Amino acid sequence: MKNFLSECDLPGKKQILGAVSRAAQAEGIDRSVCALSDALSFSPKDADSFVSAYGFALQGPHQVPKNIVPADLPSLTEYELNFKAYGKLMGDGQCKR
């Protein structure tokens, strides 16, 4: 953790330590410290990716909410995809579709 923080700029360090501080207050110090090593195992490249990995380590994956579609939305007509034209661009290989 010390090595990772040494590579971050000051705003990045503040962002990371703020997230860890909030997690320690909400989840407890033991859980937040364990999540630090888990987040580092994801090999984050910067402060933003570390905070995302840290949140994932603390809470796990979340279900992506579905978009609400209005009832009056017209349906799309279906069409068959034809990639044969792209096959010629790719060296005239046989395209399976």
Side-chain angles (χ1 to χ4, degrees):
M1 186 68 202
K2 186 177 179 181
N3 291 338
F4 183 79
L5 285 175
S6 69
E7 296 175 5
C8 291
D9 58 355
L10 184 60
K13 289 176 186 175
K14 287 181 179 180
Q15 182 183 8
I16 291 170
L17 294 176
V20 172
S21 172
R22 288 188 298 276
Q25 291 174 353
E27 303 285 336
I29 191 72
D30 292 334
R31 184 155 158 70
S32 64
V33 169
C34 288
L36 284 174
S37 61
D38 291 343
L40 287 173
S41 71
F42 292 121
S43 301
K45 303 294 181 208
D46 57 9
D48 287 332
S49 60
F50 179 85
V51 171
S52 296
Y54 187 67
F56 182 83
L58 278 173
Q59 300 168 355
H62 292 288
Q63 190 73 359
V64 176
K66 296 197 180 249
N67 291 335
I68 299 171
V69 179
D72 60 341
L73 184 72
S75 63
L76 297 174
T77 57
E78 290 192 30
Y79 59 93
E80 187 174 330
L81 297 175
N82 184 352
F83 292 113
K84 290 180 183 175
Y86 295 107
K88 291 181 181 179
L89 295 172
M90 301 293 287
D92 209 19
Q94 292 293 327
C95 188
K96 301 205 190 255
R97 281 196 148 229

